[in-house]
Amino acid sequence: MLQNLVIKTAPLPLGQAGLVVLYASDGQPPAAAAAQIWARTGLDFERIAASIGFKGKPGQAIDIAGPNGLDAKRLLVLGAGKADPDKPLSGAAWADRGGSLAAKTLGLAGGSVSVVLDGTEATPAAVAELAAGLRLRHYKFDKYKSRKKDDDTVEEITVTLHVADPAAADAAIAARQPAVEGQILARDLINEPPNVLGTVEFADRAAALSGLGVEVEVLGQGELEALGMYSMLSVSQGSARPPRLVVMRWNGGDPGTAPVAFVGKGVVFDSGGISIKPAAGMEEMKGDMGGAAAVTGLMHALASRKAKANVVGIIGIVENMPSGTSMRPGDIVRAASGVTIEIVNTDAEGRLVLADALWYAQEKHKPRAIVDLATLTGAIGVALGSDHAGLFSNSDELATKLVAAGLETGEKLWRLPMGPAYDKLIESRFADIKNSAGRPAGSITAAQFLARFVTEGTAWAHLDIAGVALNSPASETNAGWASGFGVALLDRFVRDGYET
Ligand code: BES
Ligand code: MN
Ligand code: ZN
């Protein structure tokens, strides 16, 4: 069965709903309007709470079937955690609340859910985050699951959020929705199997953003050769699938203002190439285009909400395969910037793609800042797990803005060091630099490699999202495999820092 989720807002009182949800915090009974609804049941809240150990903690619930005094089939009281008037919940905490609401209700509900959110802390922005969390948790990638014929029904499930000011909440939900859709686009691209989403197919999906008013340009093999982008091309040369560089421009800001550039690693499948990866888990490398997917999802979000900023998204799309035409360890190639690279490990391919994509961004678009996103190193997952992505930057100001956007959205970043001592590790005996310095500081030496392609004076940040973009443990807002990390973060970063 397919479940179609509709989210609405309404004032109180409750209409007909199959399931009514109230919140209670801190061991207190439901307050205000929720208290009146509870009172209709005639039940003794303290007694029920004490008998099942309900203390109002997030994740706790009182679940009452066939409540007296209500039309609903079911009444659910959810724990809202500590209510602290001096420390309002973060947006990320509201999204988590929406996620756990989806988990607790969407499975049970046949038809409709009414949620009472009448407290003063449920601002329009908070309600919008809750709605975003609901949608993100509801997301499923099940298009390749065969369905039985009689199970082809579509159930529509309506969640009505009862709030103090429905018009203001609607406006906030509508403003937040583009980033949710962009994040879902990123998840779809990452979850897609690598036989279906090859380089050409990915480029086509990105090119479809022209329907939203994004200017899209797609460069193929010949154009990349003409530009001398042999760092990126060296990765592509072992694959039967041709490379693509997709440039997506959204010009929503003042004409003449330099754009912010986002650059994404788009390796549609990373076998490792001749330095082939072990078999176990190799299927996960279909997600090695998570950076490019996030950039595509971000451009989708910015265009659909008509962001008042000039932004360019550039994604390098290739496949890394072993074959008779593959690059070899020992090969030396010249990047478009002129830097020569000794390839010592063909599995360190992401930096080879980004090297030329970063050069292209600067050469052709003269951006005021560049942020790149890449599932670049396994080492970042060893260092930070899946709670933070790695952040590397040559600009304290840019890094500070990104960290702040991370705290707002829950897509958290942790900055790691860079410097001459690390840079020294990528020096090559035969060329200007080599593409791997082995295990020590693996994520940092990867960032130092990228820094060699950033011109002096350009503010640049690199986000290593290998630990957070895919196979992340289930969270309140994600029950699937790909997280879509980066879209919410960068949408926020653009909104707070670059819109007029
Ligand atoms: N795509 C991988 C990194 C990766 C690992 C992404 C796990 C997502 C999950 C990248 O191309 C890679 O293979 N990196 C190597 C670098 C090494 C050869 C210097 C790594 O991390 O082992
Ligand atoms: Mn690799
Ligand atoms: Zn890779």
Side-chain angles (χ1 to χ4, degrees):
M1 184 172 52
L2 293 161
Q3 239 192 9
N4 218 344
L5 174 63
V6 179
I7 300 175
K8 287 186 183 154
T9 64
L12 284 161
L14 298 177
Q16 287 279 344
L19 172 64
V20 171
V21 180
L22 311 177
Y23 282 96
S25 46
D26 239 359
Q28 300 298 309
Q36 289 169 27
I37 291 161
W38 176 269
R40 288 197 233 155
T41 66
L43 294 167
D44 180 342
F45 181 84
E46 271 83 9
R47 183 146 182 262
I48 294 175
S51 58
I52 62 167
F54 179 89
K55 296 202 170 66
K57 290 187 183 149
Q60 288 191 312
I62 298 175
D63 185 357
I64 294 163
N68 279 331
L70 296 177
D71 295 327
K73 295 199 182 86
R74 203 156 187 159
L75 174 64
L76 207 54
V77 181
L78 299 182
K82 265 200 168 34
D84 183 349
D86 298 329
K87 220 176 137 235
L89 282 186
S90 66
W94 276 99
D96 282 351
R97 189 178 283 189
S100 62
L101 177 65
K104 283 254 161 34
T105 61
L106 299 185
L108 313 173
S112 57
V113 184
S114 266
V115 186
V116 179
L117 294 167
D118 62 329
T120 48
E121 72 279 15
T123 60
V127 173
E129 288 303 325
L130 180 137
L134 258 171
R135 263 201 199 291
L136 290 167
R137 180 64 177 265
H138 177 251
Y139 171 84
K140 258 202 193 116
F141 187 81
D142 57 1
K143 63 193 270 203
Y144 296 104
K145 293 268 191 196
S146 315
R147 270 181 251 281
K148 295 208 178 68
K149 271 217 170 63
D150 58 353
D151 201 19
D152 236 10
T153 49
V154 179
E155 184 195 49
E156 184 157 285
I157 163 149
T158 306
V159 177
T160 307
L161 307 174
H162 294 273
V163 297
D165 185 347
D170 281 343
I173 291 171
R176 178 68 174 85
Q177 180 65 11
V180 172
E181 280 165 12
Q183 186 168 352
I184 285 174
L185 170 60
R187 286 182 181 180
D188 277 342
L189 290 166
I190 295 168
N191 284 324
E192 202 67 64
N195 57 329
V196 174
L197 195 84
T199 52
V200 174
E201 293 79 9
F202 190 169
D204 287 348
R205 298 277 293 265
L209 294 189
S210 61
L212 294 170
V214 177
E215 267 174 37
V216 185
E217 203 186 332
V218 181
L219 281 65
Q221 177 84 32
E223 285 140 311
L224 300 176
E225 282 174 5
L227 289 162
M229 292 175 65
Y230 286 98
S231 180
M232 170 169 164
L233 286 167
S234 68
V235 180
S236 170
Q237 74 187 42
S239 170
R241 293 159 150 181
R244 292 286 184 264
L245 186 85
V246 182
V247 183
M248 297 166 272
R249 276 212 71 146
W250 172 251
N251 301 315
D254 291 333
T257 309
V260 187
F262 297 98
V263 175
K265 169 182 173 182
V267 177
V268 294
F269 184 72
D270 178 14
S271 67
I274 297 299
S275 314
I276 197 164
K277 288 182 180 292
M282 203 200 275
E283 70 280 7
E284 296 191 351
M285 286 302 115
K286 72 173 183 177
D288 206 20
M289 26 59 73
V295 171
T296 308
L298 172 69
M299 297 309 293
H300 187 285
L302 296 174
S304 12
R305 69 175 180 77
K306 303 210 171 351
K308 292 189 172 56
N310 295 333
V311 178
V312 59
I314 296 170
I315 55 180
I317 311 177
V318 295
E319 182 175 49
N320 189 21
M321 294 293 264
S323 76
T325 62
S326 293
M327 60 177 169
R328 293 148 290 251
D331 283 1
I332 293 177
V333 297
R334 185 183 301 275
S337 72
V339 171
T340 58
I341 304 164
E342 182 191 6
I343 293 161
V344 296
N345 189 324
T346 67
D347 197 13
E349 85 298 339
R351 63 200 75 181
L352 296 173
V353 176
L354 289 173
D356 280 337
L358 286 168
W359 169 83
Y360 186 92
Q362 295 162 93
E363 182 72 15
K364 304 287 176 186
H365 295 277
K366 307 273 178 262
R368 45 201 288 219
I370 307 184
V371 180
D372 77 69
L373 293 94
T375 49
L376 204 62
T377 65
I380 202 68
V382 176
L384 299 175
S386 57
D387 197 42
H388 289 81
L391 163 65
F392 303 83
S393 184
N394 62 4
S395 158
D396 291 346
E397 193 192 328
L398 182 58
T400 303
K401 284 185 188 169
L402 286 162
V403 167
L407 291 173
E408 285 297 334
T409 55
E411 294 189 336
K412 291 175 286 179
L413 304 175
W414 197 264
R415 190 175 181 185
L416 279 89
M418 296 184 71
Y422 294 112
D423 183 62
K424 215 171 148 27
L425 301 177
I426 60 169
E427 275 169 14
S428 159
R429 183 190 297 271
F430 299 107
D432 297 336
I433 50 174
K434 58 184 177 185
N435 77 328
S436 167
R439 283 166 63 84
S443 303
I444 302 175
T445 54
Q448 294 292 164
F449 183 97
L450 301 181
R452 293 286 190 124
F453 298 90
V454 176
T455 48
E456 190 83 30
T458 303
W460 158 77
H462 157 57
L463 310 184
D464 192 336
I465 61 171
V468 295
L470 31 116
N471 203 15
S472 24
S475 71
E476 292 297 352
T477 52
N478 185 23
W481 187 71
S483 64
F485 186 102
V487 177
L489 169 82
L490 297 177
D491 181 71
R492 183 68 185 232
F493 167 75
V494 169
R495 200 179 87 193
D496 290 351
Y498 298 93
E499 292 200 45
T500 46

